[in-house]
Amino acid sequence: MVLLKMITKGDEAELKVKISFEDEGGDPPSPPLVQDRKLYDELLRVNFRGPRYDVFAQELWTYGIRTLTAWMRTGAISHHCHRYNVAFDASEAELSILARTSEVREALAVDSVTAAAPRFLERSLRGGEWNPDKGASMFTYFVGGCVMAFGDVFKTWSRKRRREVVVMASGLLSSEADAMFPGQLSLFGDPAETVASRDTLRRILSEATPEAAAICTLMLRRPELNQREIGALLGGMSARAVEGQLRRLRGTARVLAASGKISRPQFCEAGQR
């Protein structure tokens, strides 16, 4: 499939189609709109089929994918969603995932472009919705459709990820938590201290983000995992993001200890391999 062949590892990798425009989502240096109209008329005559259309479609999809991945990496996707009145309710952890994890960016971009392409073909091109007199090139118009499709694609991904994180995070605070402290590697250096400090742990985690609680669950249940592997299980968080969650959790514990709400825990460096 042409679309799948275009996807490579990393935003900066060379794509099958050479396109000489910036990777930051600006308009491609397309011909003047009069030439855009000429191209449109040419494609219309062949009913948007055949080799010429295939080349155009591949360039269009490549531009859409590169633009969306760049906007997700830089955080500009928030601005463009607002620009097109697209709901984009990303958490801090999700923004970090988009900024640091190319696999997630690429998957979301491909799904968005795949969703936007049929509508663009049927309504914007064949249906005549695109109008060069309004000042937008076909590439720009298509990317607008990709952003609108991105809203639903991101929402589906985010909801699934958040459900999984919440289910995982609930493990340490549930009635089944007693079975999760068999004396293995944990947040505390001494397994015996872990067993004796369940209430303290629950108090700390009640102040934690779902991601931090899920990280703790994985550290306790699967001590063989390193931070990179833990992050992968939480929707593509980087090892740096995992450590950031733990660092903030340690800070929360210190604040609780300073206020006398808990005894001061001694955190070890679990999960940092």
Side-chain angles (χ1 to χ4, degrees), residues 100-205:
R100 299 179 183 279
T101 309
S102 62
E103 292 83 0
V104 174
R105 290 195 299 269
E106 289 166 0
L108 293 176
V110 169
D111 287 350
S112 300
V113 170
T114 301
R119 183 190 184 283
F120 182 76
L121 173 61
E122 293 302 322
R123 297 183 60 174
S124 302
L125 297 184
R126 286 178 176 163
E129 188 179 77
W130 172 74
N131 184 348
D133 295 334
K134 294 182 179 180
S137 71
M138 283 190 282
F139 282 87
T140 299
Y141 202 88
F142 177 63
V143 167
C146 291
V147 172
M148 288 186 279
F150 171 82
D152 288 335
V153 169
F154 176 82
K155 186 184 299 181
T156 298
W157 173 82
S158 175
R159 285 177 175 174
K160 179 177 182 292
R161 177 189 171 276
R162 292 184 190 190
R163 283 196 302 268
E164 292 172 349
V165 169
V166 168
V167 169
M168 198 174 300
S170 67
L172 286 180
L173 302 177
S174 70
S175 60
E176 299 176 356
D178 288 353
M180 297 174 57
F181 298 93
Q184 56 189 308
L185 183 65
S186 70
L187 287 173
F188 303 98
D190 182 0
E193 183 181 351
T194 297
V195 174
S197 303
R198 292 173 188 168
D199 182 64
T200 296
L201 182 59
R202 288 191 180 96
R203 287 173 183 264
I204 295 171
L205 292 180

Side-chain angles (χ1 to χ4, degrees), residues 214-216 218-219 222 225-237 242 270-271:
I215 290 167
C216 293
L218 287 170
M219 288 169 61
R222 301 186 59 184
L225 297 177
N226 58 35
Q227 290 184 351
R228 179 183 58 80
E229 293 164 334
I230 288 173
L233 291 174
L234 296 177
M237 293 178 68
V242 170

Side-chain angles (χ1 to χ4, degrees), residues 13-67:
E14 182 179 359
L15 296 172
K16 294 287 184 180
V17 179
K18 299 282 189 178
I19 302 180
S20 58
F21 50 83
E22 292 297 323
D23 194 28
E24 296 303 324
D27 276 352
S30 56
L33 285 176
V34 63
Q35 295 188 36
D36 231 19
R37 166 60 81 177
K38 182 179 178 180
L39 172 60
Y40 172 80
D41 290 341
E42 179 185 339
L43 296 173
L44 183 62
R45 282 195 296 271
V46 298
N47 197 25
F48 302 97
R49 293 188 175 91
R52 182 65 188 92
Y53 174 73
D54 290 342
V55 171
F56 166 75
Q58 187 167 346
E59 292 175 347
L60 195 70
W61 290 334
T62 301
Y63 179 66
I65 290 169
R66 291 185 65 182
T67 299

Side-chain angles (χ1 to χ4, degrees), residues 244-272:
Q245 289 284 339
L246 291 176
R247 184 168 58 251
R248 286 190 288 273
L249 188 59
R250 294 185 189 105
T252 297
R254 293 187 186 101
V255 170
L256 292 173
S259 65
K261 294 180 179 178
I262 63 171
S263 58
R264 188 175 183 84
Q266 298 299 317
F267 288 103
C268 72
E269 303 303 317
Q272 291 194 354

